[in-house]
Each structure stands twice: as structure tokens, then as C-alpha cells.
Amino acid sequence: MTEQGQRPVPTGRPPRFQVVERGTRDVAIVGVGATPYYRRGASWPRTITEMAGAAILAACEDAGLSVKDIDGFAYYSAANAGYGETMDTAVFMETLGIPEVTFSAALTSGGGGSAGSIGLARAAIVAGDAKVVVTVMALQQAPKRRLGEVYASVPPDPLVSFIQPSGLSGPGHLMSVLTRRHMYDYGTRREAFAAIALSQRENASNRTTAIKRDPLTLDDYFNARMIADPLCLYDFCLETDGAVAVITTSADRAKDLRQKPVPVVAAAHGGSREWGRAFAWMGMPPETFTSSGHAPIAKHLYERAGVTPADIDVALLYDHFTPMVLMQLEDYGFCAKGEGGPFVESGAIRYKGGSIPVNTHGGQLSEAYIVGMTHIKEGVEQMRGTAVNQVADAELALVTGGPAHLPVSGLILGKAGA
């Protein structure tokens, strides 16, 4: 392995090939809605149900639908709101006045299923089990429900008993181990993680919805307190409250609604058995250990969409920790394995001047952490052409869920009305 400074740095993407219709495109996202985003604990006295309901109503208004048109719910994270609260279809029906549902299901695990939940909605619609499906996530991190200490706060069991004595209290500690291995194997530097944090903060600077809009410098990054070596404060996502909802329906029905429909080009969720061990066992093979676990998802997603990485115009990559953005860039083929460090340091992911703009909304690092739903919202806005940091002539957006416990997931959205 050569020194990092001697590695070739990608300078751009190959020309896109011209194909008019790619992927399934049999369903479309027609509405998105969100509450304001709050710093952790600042959403009180609002409740999970009230925030989720407000987001659903806003999504209906965006789509030009009545809330009574909803007949399906497609959740992820096992319909949990974070790790301390749950969301219940019957409660939403009672609260919002929804008369009947014909579909209600959830992907298992946590934020890894966020992008895949749209695929779950599609499955219901294509199967004829529902016509208008809502996906919603609400989060309220009360003082005793901090996601960052989830493993330390649960009673010992055969799984966490191998984690807790090692001081691995939360996802950040576990990700730090994978990160250190990537640094050891490929010479990845902390400067690469800083480049991700700085790029996304810059993207958030002009967004009124963002929690963090103040400038972030390289000195700020390296002077920040270390939380889980080599991950410092700015390598961690924000701790926030709020809710986001998305409405999916058939492509035919979508044509008659308020917004130009954003077609679902492809969706995939799942993952390999080896990645399934990632949060609990540090003995994965090297190609999995130094990864985001997304390589199998990328393969299925591109095959279903009929596209390659060169066709993606904007990437909304799940960014609970900066190194996982870097490893997803590798797993999705935007750069070679082990080359994520020089790729991001080259400026390739920047909104202005980059070859593949990443997290143009500021992501979970700077806008808000709503367990992946802000990425779907930004993907829809990019494809509508209404994003704050709009990527010119964008035709395809990649959205990811996780790296996390299985499933991890991916979603490709197409240009609205196309």
C-alpha cells in the first residue's frame, strides 16, 4: 500500500449513459412533511404521537390528499421512535380520523431500514394491499433515552455481555473500532472525517431548518473533545427531536395529485450475515469489517434500477458517524475500496465543485437526526428541483439507511414528473 498522499485522487465521473426509463417507477412519493427540528429534549410538551401526526398531516397537505385517504403504514425500526418510544397504527387512526387501513407493517432493527421503508410501501401498493401508504419517524430523546448510550443502559444478556465490559456503551464506540481498522488497513486519516463534517456543515449553513448553521473550521474539528477515539464530537450526529413523514402511492394515482410525482426507481434492504454481526462481534472478515455493510445492497439496487454509480447525481448517505459516510462511498462504488479517504479529501463530495454532492441538506451531522428520514425528504426535494442546495439538472438521487443492525437499505429516486 502506498502512502496516502501518493494515491491517485478521482477527479470526476465518467459521462452518464442516456436511457429514458430505468428501474420500476410503478410507485412515487407524492408528499413530505416535517415538524421543526429541536435540540434533544426541547420538543416538550409535544409528544411523539402529536409530532408524528403533525408530520403526517403536513405530508397530506403537500400531496393534496385528505388524511382519510391513507390506508397503509410502512414503518421501520420495528415501529419504534428511537429506542424508547413506539408508534402505533391504531393510535394514529384514532388521533387523525383515519377510518380504515388495509396494510400495516414494519422493517426490523433501527435506522438501517429508513430508505427500505419506501420499498416496503411499494410492496404493499404493487400487491394491491394499500393505495396510499405513509412512512413516519418521530424522535424525542428525553434525558433517560439517549441513543448514544443504548448498550450501557440495557440489562445484560448473552449479546451485550460481550460488549458492556469493554466499555462499548453505544453505537459510536462500536463504530470507532471499525474506523480504526479502516485507518490501519488503508492509511485513512482523520482529515478525511473532518472533510465530511466540514462539507456538511457548509451545506447546512443556509438552511433555516438546520440545528447547526455556524461555520466549522478544521481547527474546530481537531480541537474538539474526543468521544470514542478516533471519533471526536464532530464525527457524531446531532441529538435532536422532531418528526418526518413521507407518502407513497401508485404512479397512476400520483399523476392527479398536487405535486409532480417523484418516482421510486429502485429500493432494496437486507445485508450479509457477516455484517449482521457488526455491532456485536469484531471478528468479521476484513472486507466486511472495514465497510458500511452496504455492498450487497448497492449491487441489488443498481441492478434493479439499471444504473451505475456514474448515473447518481446526488447522494444522501446515512451519516450518524463521519467514517460511515466514507465507507458507504466505497461500498456504493463512487471510489475504490480503501480510497474513501483521498476521495473525500479531494473535495469530491462537496455541493459546489464536487463530482458527487453528498448530504446537501447538512445531514444528521448538521441539520437534524431523525433516524434517516431527513435524507428521504431531501432526496424528494432534490428530485422536485426545490432543494435549498439544488444540484443542477439532477435526475437520480441515492438515499441510504444505516450502517446499522440489519437490515441496511438503499433507495434511488428519479426526477419528478419524468
Side-chain angles (χ1 to χ4, degrees), residues 25-381:
R25 299 177 184 262
D26 45 15
V27 303
I29 293 176
V30 293
V32 291
T35 66
Y37 305 135
Y38 304 88
R39 294 179 184 272
R40 180 180 66 89
S43 59
W44 290 100
R46 303 187 80 173
T47 65
I48 286 289
T49 299
E50 192 274 328
M51 287 194 293
I56 292 170
L57 289 174
C60 288
E61 174 64 22
D62 185 53
L65 288 165
S66 165
V67 71
K68 295 182 180 181
D69 292 321
I70 293 172
D71 60 358
F73 283 81
Y75 303 98
Y76 61 101
S77 191
N80 289 321
Y83 297 129
E85 300 278 359
T86 59
M87 294 181 290
D88 184 78
T89 296
V91 172
F92 288 139
M93 293 174 70
E94 189 69 32
T95 303
L96 300 173
I98 299 171
E100 181 184 12
V101 298
T102 55
F103 180 85
S104 182
L107 297 181
T108 55
S109 194
S114 55
S117 64
I118 305 302
L120 181 62
R122 174 184 175 266
I125 294 164
V126 171
D129 291 332
K131 296 177 181 177
V132 178
V133 181
V134 66
T135 297
V136 62
M137 174 56 71
L139 186 60
Q140 191 170 59
Q141 295 196 69
K144 294 184 179 180
R145 296 193 180 104
R146 297 183 71 171
L147 303 188
E149 56 189 26
V150 59
Y151 298 110
S153 62
V154 297
D157 63 24
L159 181 65
V160 300
S161 291
F162 288 94
I163 296 173
Q164 291 170 329
S166 301
L168 302 176
S169 299
H173 298 91
L174 293 157
M175 291 294 182
S176 72
V177 180
L178 276 67
T179 301
R180 181 60 73 183
R181 181 58 181 265
H182 196 282
M183 297 172 76
Y184 178 84
D185 285 352
Y186 302 111
T188 308
R189 310 189 306 167
R190 287 189 64 210
E191 283 81 355
F193 311 143
I196 294 167
L198 268 62
S199 173
Q200 294 192 198
R201 178 62 61 86
E202 183 178 352
N203 292 344
S205 64
N206 62 345
R207 293 180 63 84
T208 58
T209 55
I211 296 291
K212 291 288 188 179
R213 301 174 62 191
D214 49 307
L216 180 65
T217 69
L218 195 61
D219 285 343
D220 292 333
Y221 176 88
F222 279 104
N223 289 330
R225 69 180 185 273
M226 192 65 69
I227 297 179
D229 191 3
L231 306 183
C232 72
L233 174 66
Y234 296 115
D235 293 311
F236 279 63
C237 68
L238 301 174
E239 291 185 292
T240 53
D241 297 355
V244 179
V246 176
I247 293 176
T248 307
T249 192
S250 68
D252 286 341
R253 183 182 179 88
K255 295 174 183 177
D256 299 324
L257 299 179
R258 177 170 294 158
Q259 303 286 352
K260 287 185 178 180
V262 173
V264 174
V265 178
H269 73 268
S272 70
R273 182 181 67 176
E274 287 76 13
W275 176 257
R277 307 167 184 159
F279 279 82
W281 184 62
M282 300 303 169
M284 293 86 71
E287 63 273 15
T288 305
F289 198 86
T290 57
S291 82
S292 67
H294 273 263
I297 302 304
K299 180 177 183 293
H300 295 311
L301 199 63
Y302 290 144
E303 287 176 350
R304 293 172 189 179
V307 304
T308 72
D311 297 296
I312 302 298
D313 298 297
V314 56
L316 295 318
L317 305 181
Y318 198 97
D319 56 321
H320 45 357
F321 306 100
T322 57
M324 293 298 108
V325 174
L326 185 152
M327 294 184 207
Q328 285 178 86
L329 288 164
E330 295 177 352
D331 284 350
Y332 279 94
F334 296 109
C335 59
K337 181 69 178 176
E339 294 296 333
F343 186 76
V344 297
E345 287 190 57
S346 75
I349 67 169
R350 288 190 171 273
Y351 166 57
K352 296 180 180 179
S355 58
I356 177 64
V358 170
N359 294 344
T360 44
H361 57 318
Q364 299 175 147
L365 294 170
S366 286
E367 186 187 40
Y369 174 76
I370 312 293
V371 202
M373 283 296 288
T374 61
H375 292 59
I376 301 176
K377 182 175 182 289
E378 174 70 7
V380 171
E381 291 175 357

